[in-house]
Amino acid sequence: MQKEYKPFQIVLFILACLIVLGLITYAVPAGRKDIFGYEFRFLSQNKLLKNEKRHEVNLDSLFVDVDTSMVDEVENPHGKVKNFKISDGDLLSYSKNGKERFAAFFNRLRAGGSDKIRILHYGDSQIEGDRVTAFLRQRLQTQFGGSGPGFIPAVNVYETITFTQTVSENFQRYTNFGGQQLSNKRYGIMNSVGRFTPEFSDSVNLDSLKIITAWMEVEPGFRAYSTAKGYKSITLHYSDAFAGCELKIYNNEELVKTDSLISDGKYHKYKFTLPGAAGKVKFEYSAKMSPNILGYSLDGDGGVQVDNIAMRGSSGTFFGKIDNSLAKQIYDDQNVELFIMQFGGNSVPYIKDTVDVEQSVSYFKGQLNTIKRLRPNAMIIVIGPSDMSTLIEAEYRTYPLLPLYVDKLRKMTKEIGGAYFDMYAAMGGEDAMVAWVEKGLAGQDYVHFTLKGASIATQKFYDAFMTSYNKLKTKNDSKEN
C-alpha cells in the first residue's frame, strides 16, 4: 500500500533540502570542490545572492575610433605617421629601461635605408593563418617600406591568407611544439623544418640509399594584402645537408635554375631573385639524404619584414627545445630588431591557483631572457592574452585568474626591459569576449578572433605602437634641435 504524505511533511522535506543546500553553499562559497580528484559543483554564494553579474561591454563605444581601412601608398614612408588614432598609452607600457630600448628600436626603424629590419611575430594558434600578423605587416610596410610576407615554413599546415603553398607527399614536417620532432633540435627560427627522407644515423651507408625527389611550390594568396604580394626574392634556408642535393627552380612552370646545395652540414641560404612579379615558384630537390629545410623567406629589397611564426598548442616556452646557436646565427644574419611574443591561450585554461600564475609567468620570463641573451640589442614586445571565456554556472565568463595573470605578465615584461600590450584591456576587459562572439569578431570557442576581429584587435595594437613611436620620436627630435 502506497504511503500518503501530508502537506506539512512535504513542506518540511523541501525546507530540509534547502537548509542542506544552504549549508553546502555556505561551506563552499566558490561553488566547486575537489573530492578524491573529482570536481563537484554546487550553487555558489554569488549565484544564490545574485551578487555577481556578467559585465556588459559596449563594443560600439570601444571601437568608435578604430580605423581598419587599408592605406596602400605612403608618400613619405619615414615622415608623418598615417592611419592611426591616438590610443590609451596604458595599453602599451614599459619601464624606464624599456623606454630607452624602445626609443633605440624606433630610431633604427625610422632611419630605414637599404638594410632590412626584421620583426619576428611568435605566437600560438591565435596568430596562425597569418590572421593577425598580415594586418600588422601591411600597416608597418606601408608606413616604413618593405614587401613580402617574410619567413614561411618549409611545410605549411594552416590555411593562410597571405600565400598558397603545396608540397610533395613525401615532405615530412618536424616541430618542437608537438608532433614529430628532430633528434638534433636544429629547427632554426621557425620551430619547424621539412625533410623528404628520414633522419639517418652517422653509420648509414650512403651507397645503399636511393635518390628521392621532392618539391615545394608557393605563390601569393588571393586574399593577401598588397605589400605581401610584392616580394622580389625567395631565399631557401637550410642546414644539415650531408649528402649532395640537386636543386631545380621553376618560375610559372618554366625551369629557370639548376644548381646544388652545399653539403657541409652548416647553415646556408640560397637566394632566387624573381625575374618579374611574384607568381608560382617551385623548388624541386633530388637527394639520397634530405637536408633540414628551415623555411623560405619571401622578401623585398629593404624596409620592414614581419614574419608570422605560429605554433599551435605552444605556451611560448620553446627556446629550451631548439639549438640556440643556430637560432642566434639566423637572428644575427637576418637583422632581427623586434620580437613580438603573443601567447597565453594555452596557459590560462590550466591555471588553477596563484601558484600556477607565478610559475607560468616565471617560465615565460626565462624565454624572454633567452631572447635578450641571443639578440641583446633587439626590442621585445609581449602581447598579453586576450579575454577568454569559460562556462561558470551556465554563463560564459572570463577565466577567474586571467586578470591576475595579465597583471603579473605586465610587471614581468617591464622588469626585463620589454614593452607590454594589454590585449585584455583593449578588448574591453572582463567578460568582453562574449560581446566579441555576439558581434562575430570571435569564434564560438570564446578564445580565437575571426578575421574581422583580428583586424580590429591588431589595429588597437598598431594604434598603441605608433602612439609610442610618435612620443619617443618627438623627444628625440627635440634633443637633436
PDB file of all heavy atoms in Angstrom, residues 194-226:
ATOM      1  N   GLY A 194      61.255  20.981 -42.656  1.00  0.00           N
ATOM      2  CA  GLY A 194      60.739  19.977 -43.568  1.00  0.00           C
ATOM      3  C   GLY A 194      61.862  19.059 -44.032  1.00  0.00           C
ATOM      4  O   GLY A 194      62.987  19.515 -44.257  1.00  0.00           O
ATOM      5  N   ARG A 195      61.566  17.783 -44.150  1.00  0.00           N
ATOM      6  CA  ARG A 195      62.504  16.790 -44.676  1.00  0.00           C
ATOM      7  C   ARG A 195      61.741  15.842 -45.590  1.00  0.00           C
ATOM      8  O   ARG A 195      60.577  15.521 -45.336  1.00  0.00           O
ATOM      9  CB  ARG A 195      63.165  15.986 -43.564  1.00  0.00           C
ATOM     10  CG  ARG A 195      64.151  16.758 -42.691  1.00  0.00           C
ATOM     11  CD  ARG A 195      64.797  15.828 -41.649  1.00  0.00           C
ATOM     12  NE  ARG A 195      65.537  14.737 -42.289  1.00  0.00           N
ATOM     13  CZ  ARG A 195      66.819  14.797 -42.633  1.00  0.00           C
ATOM     14  NH1 ARG A 195      67.522  15.900 -42.398  1.00  0.00           N
ATOM     15  NH2 ARG A 195      67.423  13.773 -43.200  1.00  0.00           N
ATOM     16  N   PHE A 196      62.428  15.358 -46.647  1.00  0.00           N
ATOM     17  CA  PHE A 196      61.782  14.395 -47.535  1.00  0.00           C
ATOM     18  C   PHE A 196      62.392  13.007 -47.422  1.00  0.00           C
ATOM     19  O   PHE A 196      62.027  12.095 -48.167  1.00  0.00           O
ATOM     20  CB  PHE A 196      61.791  14.887 -48.986  1.00  0.00           C
ATOM     21  CG  PHE A 196      63.139  15.322 -49.509  1.00  0.00           C
ATOM     22  CD1 PHE A 196      64.012  14.404 -50.087  1.00  0.00           C
ATOM     23  CD2 PHE A 196      63.522  16.657 -49.452  1.00  0.00           C
ATOM     24  CE1 PHE A 196      65.241  14.798 -50.593  1.00  0.00           C
ATOM     25  CE2 PHE A 196      64.749  17.064 -49.954  1.00  0.00           C
ATOM     26  CZ  PHE A 196      65.622  16.141 -50.523  1.00  0.00           C
ATOM     27  N   THR A 197      63.335  12.828 -46.503  1.00  0.00           N
ATOM     28  CA  THR A 197      63.816  11.495 -46.111  1.00  0.00           C
ATOM     29  C   THR A 197      63.886  11.487 -44.587  1.00  0.00           C
ATOM     30  O   THR A 197      63.940  12.544 -43.961  1.00  0.00           O
ATOM     31  CB  THR A 197      65.210  11.174 -46.674  1.00  0.00           C
ATOM     32  OG1 THR A 197      66.207  11.979 -46.007  1.00  0.00           O
ATOM     33  CG2 THR A 197      65.276  11.402 -48.179  1.00  0.00           C
ATOM     34  N   PRO A 198      63.917  10.321 -43.971  1.00  0.00           N
ATOM     35  CA  PRO A 198      64.061  10.280 -42.511  1.00  0.00           C
ATOM     36  C   PRO A 198      65.431  10.806 -42.084  1.00  0.00           C
ATOM     37  O   PRO A 198      66.326  11.012 -42.901  1.00  0.00           O
ATOM     38  CB  PRO A 198      63.925   8.781 -42.187  1.00  0.00           C
ATOM     39  CG  PRO A 198      63.334   8.156 -43.408  1.00  0.00           C
ATOM     40  CD  PRO A 198      63.772   8.980 -44.562  1.00  0.00           C
ATOM     41  N   GLU A 199      65.584  11.042 -40.791  1.00  0.00           N
ATOM     42  CA  GLU A 199      66.903  11.332 -40.243  1.00  0.00           C
ATOM     43  C   GLU A 199      67.691  10.024 -40.187  1.00  0.00           C
ATOM     44  O   GLU A 199      67.216   9.044 -39.622  1.00  0.00           O
ATOM     45  CB  GLU A 199      66.782  11.913 -38.834  1.00  0.00           C
ATOM     46  CG  GLU A 199      66.210  13.304 -38.769  1.00  0.00           C
ATOM     47  CD  GLU A 199      66.255  13.846 -37.347  1.00  0.00           C
ATOM     48  OE1 GLU A 199      65.334  13.522 -36.571  1.00  0.00           O
ATOM     49  OE2 GLU A 199      67.207  14.570 -37.014  1.00  0.00           O
ATOM     50  N   PHE A 200      68.877  10.023 -40.768  1.00  0.00           N
ATOM     51  CA  PHE A 200      69.706   8.820 -40.775  1.00  0.00           C
ATOM     52  C   PHE A 200      70.812   8.943 -39.738  1.00  0.00           C
ATOM     53  O   PHE A 200      71.272  10.055 -39.424  1.00  0.00           O
ATOM     54  CB  PHE A 200      70.320   8.591 -42.156  1.00  0.00           C
ATOM     55  CG  PHE A 200      69.311   8.259 -43.229  1.00  0.00           C
ATOM     56  CD1 PHE A 200      68.973   9.193 -44.199  1.00  0.00           C
ATOM     57  CD2 PHE A 200      68.708   7.013 -43.264  1.00  0.00           C
ATOM     58  CE1 PHE A 200      68.048   8.901 -45.185  1.00  0.00           C
ATOM     59  CE2 PHE A 200      67.784   6.703 -44.252  1.00  0.00           C
ATOM     60  CZ  PHE A 200      67.452   7.647 -45.211  1.00  0.00           C
ATOM     61  N   SER A 201      71.259   7.823 -39.234  1.00  0.00           N
ATOM     62  CA  SER A 201      72.386   7.815 -38.298  1.00  0.00           C
ATOM     63  C   SER A 201      73.686   8.029 -39.069  1.00  0.00           C
ATOM     64  O   SER A 201      73.743   7.895 -40.303  1.00  0.00           O
ATOM     65  CB  SER A 201      72.438   6.492 -37.540  1.00  0.00           C
ATOM     66  OG  SER A 201      72.717   5.421 -38.423  1.00  0.00           O
ATOM     67  N   ASP A 202      74.755   8.356 -38.337  1.00  0.00           N
ATOM     68  CA  ASP A 202      76.048   8.613 -38.960  1.00  0.00           C
ATOM     69  C   ASP A 202      76.610   7.364 -39.649  1.00  0.00           C
ATOM     70  O   ASP A 202      77.459   7.470 -40.540  1.00  0.00           O
ATOM     71  CB  ASP A 202      77.055   9.105 -37.916  1.00  0.00           C
ATOM     72  CG  ASP A 202      76.652  10.457 -37.333  1.00  0.00           C
ATOM     73  OD1 ASP A 202      75.898  11.186 -38.006  1.00  0.00           O
ATOM     74  OD2 ASP A 202      77.085  10.764 -36.207  1.00  0.00           O
ATOM     75  N   SER A 203      76.151   6.190 -39.226  1.00  0.00           N
ATOM     76  CA  SER A 203      76.708   4.934 -39.759  1.00  0.00           C
ATOM     77  C   SER A 203      76.010   4.448 -41.021  1.00  0.00           C
ATOM     78  O   SER A 203      76.374   3.401 -41.566  1.00  0.00           O
ATOM     79  CB  SER A 203      76.628   3.839 -38.686  1.00  0.00           C
ATOM     80  OG  SER A 203      75.265   3.622 -38.320  1.00  0.00           O
ATOM     81  N   VAL A 204      75.014   5.201 -41.506  1.00  0.00           N
ATOM     82  CA  VAL A 204      74.289   4.741 -42.681  1.00  0.00           C
ATOM     83  C   VAL A 204      75.209   4.717 -43.899  1.00  0.00           C
ATOM     84  O   VAL A 204      76.095   5.573 -44.067  1.00  0.00           O
ATOM     85  CB  VAL A 204      73.068   5.659 -42.953  1.00  0.00           C
ATOM     86  CG1 VAL A 204      73.511   7.056 -43.371  1.00  0.00           C
ATOM     87  CG2 VAL A 204      72.164   5.058 -44.012  1.00  0.00           C
ATOM     88  N   ASN A 205      75.032   3.716 -44.739  1.00  0.00           N
ATOM     89  CA  ASN A 205      75.789   3.571 -45.982  1.00  0.00           C
ATOM     90  C   ASN A 205      75.081   4.374 -47.075  1.00  0.00           C
ATOM     91  O   ASN A 205      73.995   3.996 -47.514  1.00  0.00           O
ATOM     92  CB  ASN A 205      75.895   2.093 -46.363  1.00  0.00           C
ATOM     93  CG  ASN A 205      76.734   1.891 -47.626  1.00  0.00           C
ATOM     94  OD1 ASN A 205      77.246   2.843 -48.212  1.00  0.00           O
ATOM     95  ND2 ASN A 205      76.871   0.637 -48.035  1.00  0.00           N
ATOM     96  N   LEU A 206      75.690   5.468 -47.496  1.00  0.00           N
ATOM     97  CA  LEU A 206      75.064   6.352 -48.475  1.00  0.00           C
ATOM     98  C   LEU A 206      74.797   5.637 -49.796  1.00  0.00           C
ATOM     99  O   LEU A 206      73.792   5.905 -50.466  1.00  0.00           O
ATOM    100  CB  LEU A 206      75.953   7.581 -48.709  1.00  0.00           C
ATOM    101  CG  LEU A 206      75.306   8.790 -49.402  1.00  0.00           C
ATOM    102  CD1 LEU A 206      74.135   9.318 -48.587  1.00  0.00           C
ATOM    103  CD2 LEU A 206      76.326   9.882 -49.644  1.00  0.00           C
ATOM    104  N   ASP A 207      75.683   4.697 -50.163  1.00  0.00           N
ATOM    105  CA  ASP A 207      75.509   3.973 -51.429  1.00  0.00           C
ATOM    106  C   ASP A 207      74.270   3.094 -51.429  1.00  0.00           C
ATOM    107  O   ASP A 207      73.762   2.721 -52.496  1.00  0.00           O
ATOM    108  CB  ASP A 207      76.747   3.116 -51.711  1.00  0.00           C
ATOM    109  CG  ASP A 207      77.989   3.966 -51.982  1.00  0.00           C
ATOM    110  OD1 ASP A 207      77.815   5.124 -52.410  1.00  0.00           O
ATOM    111  OD2 ASP A 207      79.111   3.482 -51.738  1.00  0.00           O
ATOM    112  N   SER A 208      73.803   2.762 -50.247  1.00  0.00           N
ATOM    113  CA  SER A 208      72.637   1.880 -50.156  1.00  0.00           C
ATOM    114  C   SER A 208      71.320   2.641 -50.311  1.00  0.00           C
ATOM    115  O   SER A 208      70.255   2.023 -50.383  1.00  0.00           O
ATOM    116  CB  SER A 208      72.638   1.143 -48.815  1.00  0.00           C
ATOM    117  OG  SER A 208      72.436   2.052 -47.745  1.00  0.00           O
ATOM    118  N   LEU A 209      71.390   3.968 -50.334  1.00  0.00           N
ATOM    119  CA  LEU A 209      70.176   4.777 -50.395  1.00  0.00           C
ATOM    120  C   LEU A 209      69.831   5.156 -51.832  1.00  0.00           C
ATOM    121  O   LEU A 209      70.713   5.319 -52.676  1.00  0.00           O
ATOM    122  CB  LEU A 209      70.354   6.050 -49.559  1.00  0.00           C
ATOM    123  CG  LEU A 209      70.704   5.853 -48.082  1.00  0.00           C
ATOM    124  CD1 LEU A 209      70.919   7.218 -47.414  1.00  0.00           C
ATOM    125  CD2 LEU A 209      69.618   5.076 -47.366  1.00  0.00           C
ATOM    126  N   LYS A 210      68.562   5.319 -52.093  1.00  0.00           N
ATOM    127  CA  LYS A 210      68.083   5.740 -53.400  1.00  0.00           C
ATOM    128  C   LYS A 210      67.893   7.260 -53.432  1.00  0.00           C
ATOM    129  O   LYS A 210      67.651   7.893 -52.414  1.00  0.00           O
ATOM    130  CB  LYS A 210      66.750   5.059 -53.728  1.00  0.00           C
ATOM    131  CG  LYS A 210      66.834   3.546 -53.847  1.00  0.00           C
ATOM    132  CD  LYS A 210      65.461   2.984 -54.194  1.00  0.00           C
ATOM    133  CE  LYS A 210      65.517   1.462 -54.335  1.00  0.00           C
ATOM    134  NZ  LYS A 210      64.173   0.900 -54.649  1.00  0.00           N
ATOM    135  N   ILE A 211      67.990   7.824 -54.610  1.00  0.00           N
ATOM    136  CA  ILE A 211      67.740   9.253 -54.777  1.00  0.00           C
ATOM    137  C   ILE A 211      66.241   9.513 -54.699  1.00  0.00           C
ATOM    138  O   ILE A 211      65.443   8.865 -55.375  1.00  0.00           O
ATOM    139  CB  ILE A 211      68.305   9.770 -56.113  1.00  0.00           C
ATOM    140  CG1 ILE A 211      69.832   9.674 -56.120  1.00  0.00           C
ATOM    141  CG2 ILE A 211      67.858  11.209 -56.360  1.00  0.00           C
ATOM    142  CD1 ILE A 211      70.462  10.117 -57.425  1.00  0.00           C
ATOM    143  N   ILE A 212      65.879  10.448 -53.849  1.00  0.00           N
ATOM    144  CA  ILE A 212      64.475  10.824 -53.640  1.00  0.00           C
ATOM    145  C   ILE A 212      64.256  12.243 -54.168  1.00  0.00           C
ATOM    146  O   ILE A 212      65.087  13.125 -53.974  1.00  0.00           O
ATOM    147  CB  ILE A 212      64.103  10.778 -52.149  1.00  0.00           C
ATOM    148  CG1 ILE A 212      64.376   9.385 -51.567  1.00  0.00           C
ATOM    149  CG2 ILE A 212      62.648  11.167 -51.940  1.00  0.00           C
ATOM    150  CD1 ILE A 212      63.562   8.283 -52.182  1.00  0.00           C
ATOM    151  N   THR A 213      63.143  12.438 -54.843  1.00  0.00           N
ATOM    152  CA  THR A 213      62.788  13.762 -55.355  1.00  0.00           C
ATOM    153  C   THR A 213      61.573  14.295 -54.603  1.00  0.00           C
ATOM    154  O   THR A 213      60.621  13.559 -54.340  1.00  0.00           O
ATOM    155  CB  THR A 213      62.482  13.713 -56.859  1.00  0.00           C
ATOM    156  OG1 THR A 213      63.654  13.287 -57.571  1.00  0.00           O
ATOM    157  CG2 THR A 213      62.065  15.079 -57.383  1.00  0.00           C
ATOM    158  N   ALA A 214      61.647  15.560 -54.225  1.00  0.00           N
ATOM    159  CA  ALA A 214      60.541  16.214 -53.515  1.00  0.00           C
ATOM    160  C   ALA A 214      60.462  17.661 -53.979  1.00  0.00           C
ATOM    161  O   ALA A 214      61.419  18.193 -54.557  1.00  0.00           O
ATOM    162  CB  ALA A 214      60.758  16.151 -52.006  1.00  0.00           C
ATOM    163  N   TRP A 215      59.340  18.312 -53.716  1.00  0.00           N
ATOM    164  CA  TRP A 215      59.185  19.682 -54.183  1.00  0.00           C
ATOM    165  C   TRP A 215      58.272  20.498 -53.264  1.00  0.00           C
ATOM    166  O   TRP A 215      57.470  19.958 -52.503  1.00  0.00           O
ATOM    167  CB  TRP A 215      58.632  19.725 -55.611  1.00  0.00           C
ATOM    168  CG  TRP A 215      57.366  18.935 -55.809  1.00  0.00           C
ATOM    169  CD1 TRP A 215      57.269  17.639 -56.232  1.00  0.00           C
ATOM    170  CD2 TRP A 215      56.020  19.385 -55.574  1.00  0.00           C
ATOM    171  NE1 TRP A 215      55.949  17.250 -56.275  1.00  0.00           N
ATOM    172  CE2 TRP A 215      55.156  18.301 -55.879  1.00  0.00           C
ATOM    173  CE3 TRP A 215      55.460  20.583 -55.153  1.00  0.00           C
ATOM    174  CZ2 TRP A 215      53.766  18.385 -55.767  1.00  0.00           C
ATOM    175  CZ3 TRP A 215      54.082  20.672 -55.025  1.00  0.00           C
ATOM    176  CH2 TRP A 215      53.264  19.575 -55.336  1.00  0.00           C
ATOM    177  N   MET A 216      58.444  21.814 -53.394  1.00  0.00           N
ATOM    178  CA  MET A 216      57.599  22.801 -52.711  1.00  0.00           C
ATOM    179  C   MET A 216      57.248  23.882 -53.720  1.00  0.00           C
ATOM    180  O   MET A 216      58.095  24.343 -54.471  1.00  0.00           O
ATOM    181  CB  MET A 216      58.345  23.420 -51.526  1.00  0.00           C
ATOM    182  CG  MET A 216      57.531  24.410 -50.679  1.00  0.00           C
ATOM    183  SD  MET A 216      57.243  26.092 -51.349  1.00  0.00           S
ATOM    184  CE  MET A 216      58.899  26.657 -51.665  1.00  0.00           C
ATOM    185  N   GLU A 217      55.986  24.282 -53.730  1.00  0.00           N
ATOM    186  CA  GLU A 217      55.518  25.304 -54.656  1.00  0.00           C
ATOM    187  C   GLU A 217      54.789  26.383 -53.876  1.00  0.00           C
ATOM    188  O   GLU A 217      53.994  26.082 -52.966  1.00  0.00           O
ATOM    189  CB  GLU A 217      54.582  24.668 -55.683  1.00  0.00           C
ATOM    190  CG  GLU A 217      54.321  25.514 -56.913  1.00  0.00           C
ATOM    191  CD  GLU A 217      53.607  24.709 -57.989  1.00  0.00           C
ATOM    192  OE1 GLU A 217      52.449  24.300 -57.735  1.00  0.00           O
ATOM    193  OE2 GLU A 217      54.186  24.465 -59.064  1.00  0.00           O
ATOM    194  N   VAL A 218      55.045  27.650 -54.202  1.00  0.00           N
ATOM    195  CA  VAL A 218      54.434  28.742 -53.462  1.00  0.00           C
ATOM    196  C   VAL A 218      54.054  29.873 -54.421  1.00  0.00           C
ATOM    197  O   VAL A 218      54.716  30.096 -55.439  1.00  0.00           O
ATOM    198  CB  VAL A 218      55.397  29.272 -52.365  1.00  0.00           C
ATOM    199  CG1 VAL A 218      56.643  29.896 -52.982  1.00  0.00           C
ATOM    200  CG2 VAL A 218      54.703  30.256 -51.445  1.00  0.00           C
ATOM    201  N   GLU A 219      52.978  30.578 -54.086  1.00  0.00           N
ATOM    202  CA  GLU A 219      52.543  31.750 -54.835  1.00  0.00           C
ATOM    203  C   GLU A 219      51.738  32.650 -53.910  1.00  0.00           C
ATOM    204  O   GLU A 219      51.267  32.205 -52.845  1.00  0.00           O
ATOM    205  CB  GLU A 219      51.700  31.345 -56.048  1.00  0.00           C
ATOM    206  CG  GLU A 219      50.422  30.596 -55.708  1.00  0.00           C
ATOM    207  CD  GLU A 219      49.678  30.161 -56.955  1.00  0.00           C
ATOM    208  OE1 GLU A 219      49.625  30.965 -57.927  1.00  0.00           O
ATOM    209  OE2 GLU A 219      49.160  29.036 -56.971  1.00  0.00           O
ATOM    210  N   PRO A 220      51.571  33.932 -54.252  1.00  0.00           N
ATOM    211  CA  PRO A 220      50.808  34.826 -53.375  1.00  0.00           C
ATOM    212  C   PRO A 220      49.375  34.348 -53.206  1.00  0.00           C
ATOM    213  O   PRO A 220      48.758  33.824 -54.139  1.00  0.00           O
ATOM    214  CB  PRO A 220      50.855  36.168 -54.117  1.00  0.00           C
ATOM    215  CG  PRO A 220      52.054  36.078 -55.006  1.00  0.00           C
ATOM    216  CD  PRO A 220      52.134  34.639 -55.418  1.00  0.00           C
ATOM    217  N   GLY A 221      48.822  34.515 -52.016  1.00  0.00           N
ATOM    218  CA  GLY A 221      47.429  34.173 -51.768  1.00  0.00           C
ATOM    219  C   GLY A 221      46.503  35.200 -52.383  1.00  0.00           C
ATOM    220  O   GLY A 221      46.822  36.391 -52.435  1.00  0.00           O
ATOM    221  N   PHE A 222      45.339  34.760 -52.825  1.00  0.00           N
ATOM    222  CA  PHE A 222      44.435  35.702 -53.500  1.00  0.00           C
ATOM    223  C   PHE A 222      43.834  36.696 -52.515  1.00  0.00           C
ATOM    224  O   PHE A 222      43.329  37.753 -52.912  1.00  0.00           O
ATOM    225  CB  PHE A 222      43.323  34.940 -54.237  1.00  0.00           C
ATOM    226  CG  PHE A 222      42.284  34.302 -53.353  1.00  0.00           C
ATOM    227  CD1 PHE A 222      41.109  34.967 -53.038  1.00  0.00           C
ATOM    228  CD2 PHE A 222      42.479  33.031 -52.826  1.00  0.00           C
ATOM    229  CE1 PHE A 222      40.158  34.386 -52.233  1.00  0.00           C
ATOM    230  CE2 PHE A 222      41.524  32.440 -52.020  1.00  0.00           C
ATOM    231  CZ  PHE A 222      40.359  33.112 -51.718  1.00  0.00           C
ATOM    232  N   ARG A 223      43.895  36.401 -51.206  1.00  0.00           N
ATOM    233  CA  ARG A 223      43.395  37.343 -50.209  1.00  0.00           C
ATOM    234  C   ARG A 223      44.516  38.136 -49.542  1.00  0.00           C
ATOM    235  O   ARG A 223      44.282  38.888 -48.589  1.00  0.00           O
ATOM    236  CB  ARG A 223      42.603  36.600 -49.122  1.00  0.00           C
ATOM    237  CG  ARG A 223      41.295  35.996 -49.596  1.00  0.00           C
ATOM    238  CD  ARG A 223      40.523  35.410 -48.432  1.00  0.00           C
ATOM    239  NE  ARG A 223      41.246  34.288 -47.816  1.00  0.00           N
ATOM    240  CZ  ARG A 223      40.888  33.726 -46.667  1.00  0.00           C
ATOM    241  NH1 ARG A 223      39.855  34.210 -45.990  1.00  0.00           N
ATOM    242  NH2 ARG A 223      41.574  32.711 -46.181  1.00  0.00           N
ATOM    243  N   ALA A 224      45.730  37.997 -50.061  1.00  0.00           N
ATOM    244  CA  ALA A 224      46.879  38.658 -49.443  1.00  0.00           C
ATOM    245  C   ALA A 224      46.775  40.175 -49.589  1.00  0.00           C
ATOM    246  O   ALA A 224      46.267  40.694 -50.586  1.00  0.00           O
ATOM    247  CB  ALA A 224      48.172  38.168 -50.091  1.00  0.00           C
ATOM    248  N   TYR A 225      47.274  40.903 -48.576  1.00  0.00           N
ATOM    249  CA  TYR A 225      47.351  42.349 -48.664  1.00  0.00           C
ATOM    250  C   TYR A 225      48.390  42.743 -49.700  1.00  0.00           C
ATOM    251  O   TYR A 225      49.266  41.953 -50.073  1.00  0.00           O
ATOM    252  CB  TYR A 225      47.702  42.946 -47.302  1.00  0.00           C
ATOM    253  CG  TYR A 225      46.614  42.796 -46.270  1.00  0.00           C
ATOM    254  CD1 TYR A 225      46.864  42.200 -45.035  1.00  0.00           C
ATOM    255  CD2 TYR A 225      45.330  43.265 -46.516  1.00  0.00           C
ATOM    256  CE1 TYR A 225      45.870  42.067 -44.075  1.00  0.00           C
ATOM    257  CE2 TYR A 225      44.331  43.145 -45.567  1.00  0.00           C
ATOM    258  CZ  TYR A 225      44.601  42.540 -44.352  1.00  0.00           C
ATOM    259  OH  TYR A 225      43.607  42.417 -43.415  1.00  0.00           O
ATOM    260  N   SER A 226      48.315  43.983 -50.169  1.00  0.00           N
ATOM    261  CA  SER A 226      49.102  44.410 -51.332  1.00  0.00           C
ATOM    262  C   SER A 226      50.608  44.304 -51.108  1.00  0.00           C
ATOM    263  O   SER A 226      51.332  43.822 -51.992  1.00  0.00           O
ATOM    264  CB  SER A 226      48.728  45.854 -51.700  1.00  0.00           C
ATOM    265  OG  SER A 226      48.970  46.729 -50.607  1.00  0.00           O
TER     266      SER A 226
END
